[in-house]
Amino acid sequence: MNSLPSTMAVAWPVFLQGLALSFGLIVAIGSQNAFVLRQGLRREHVGSVVLFCGVADAVLIAAGVFGMAQALGDRPQLARALALAGALFLAWYGWKALLRVRHAGRLQAAPGGDGLHRGAALAQAAAFTLLNPHVYLDTVLLVGSIGAQQPAMLQGWFVAGASAASMAWFTLLGFGARWLAPWFARPRAWQVLDGLIGVTMWVLSALLVRHALIVA
């Protein structure tokens, strides 16, 4: 009777860690987000574009976590080294986010352009998602190596949290475009977001270091 509450008590923090990590990495001023925002403003194949971007991220995240877990299963020293490398990257990423608070940018959809057929819209979404090398660095390598540090029974919860953040962000960006576009065009909004992301990344970095030292 108590197995489900006890499982949730352990799984919930792992889910939230995956959620926070993915959200911190995906919320950025970039071409993919600008494209989703554009489609949302035009109300053009929004559901298809959002679903493609969210599912693509989920597949890459799952491949990263479970693939890295299998690769690192019998290599505890390599796993510890990747955890510490990931912690350093998160600390650096958080520092960069805090620096952006002083020089905030803005996210705006590309102006003009003709309407796209569904196939063309999905082709552009695929290009912005899969032809960006940072996508693989973030999802497969970074999220994968951090998720692989979790116990085997909790790795699925980490993947679920990271995937939920991605899907929620694209859904918000696409379907809330008309409300969010003026907000994202303000540098002040990105200052707040970057400040939150910077602090979150530092907290996750500290947790990762703590995990690596405990395992050691």
Side-chain angles (χ1 to χ4, degrees):
M1 293 292 293
N2 295 326
S3 60
L4 182 58
S6 60
T7 300
M8 291 302 298
V10 176
W12 188 240
V14 175
F15 178 89
L16 290 179
Q17 185 177 350
L19 187 82
L21 176 62
S22 180
F23 188 78
L25 292 173
I26 198 172
V27 177
I29 300 174
S31 57
Q32 184 191 43
N33 285 334
F35 175 72
V36 175
L37 183 65
R38 173 187 183 275
Q39 293 303 110
L41 289 171
R42 297 173 67 94
R43 297 183 180 177
E44 204 174 69
H45 315 302
V46 180
S48 298
V49 169
V50 166
L51 183 62
F52 177 87
C53 292
V55 170
D57 269 11
V59 170
L60 291 172
I61 289 168
V65 171
F66 296 124
M68 292 291 285
Q70 184 175 3
L72 300 177
D74 298 324
R75 302 175 179 86
Q77 296 299 328
L78 180 58
R80 189 174 302 117
L82 280 178
L84 292 174
L88 287 174
F89 178 85
L90 291 181
W92 173 83
Y93 194 95
W95 174 247
K96 295 288 287 184
L98 293 175
L99 287 179
R100 288 197 302 269
V101 172
R102 300 180 59 186
H103 306 285
R106 61 185 70 197
L107 175 64
Q108 292 179 304
D114 297 328
L116 298 174
H117 295 294
R118 189 183 306 274
L122 290 176
Q124 287 197 26
F128 285 127
T129 302
L130 302 177
L131 297 182
N132 180 2
H134 290 289
V135 169
Y136 300 96
L137 173 65
D138 291 345
T139 57
V140 178
L141 185 57
L142 181 60
V143 177
S145 63
I146 294 175
Q149 309 294 324
Q150 306 295 335
M153 63 176 294
L154 297 177
Q155 288 168 5
W157 287 97
F158 185 91
V159 170
S163 301
S166 178
M167 184 63 76
W169 171 250
F170 288 125
T171 300
L172 184 66
L173 199 57
F175 289 101
R178 291 183 179 271
W179 176 73
L180 291 173
W183 194 77
F184 282 147
R186 294 189 217 140
R188 178 62 179 170
W190 287 95
Q191 286 178 317
V192 174
L193 269 178
D194 281 328
L196 291 173
I197 289 171
V199 173
T200 299
M201 290 301 170
W202 278 2
V203 170
L204 292 176
S205 176
L207 290 175
L208 203 55
V209 170
R210 178 175 176 270
H211 173 79
L213 293 178
I214 289 176
V215 172

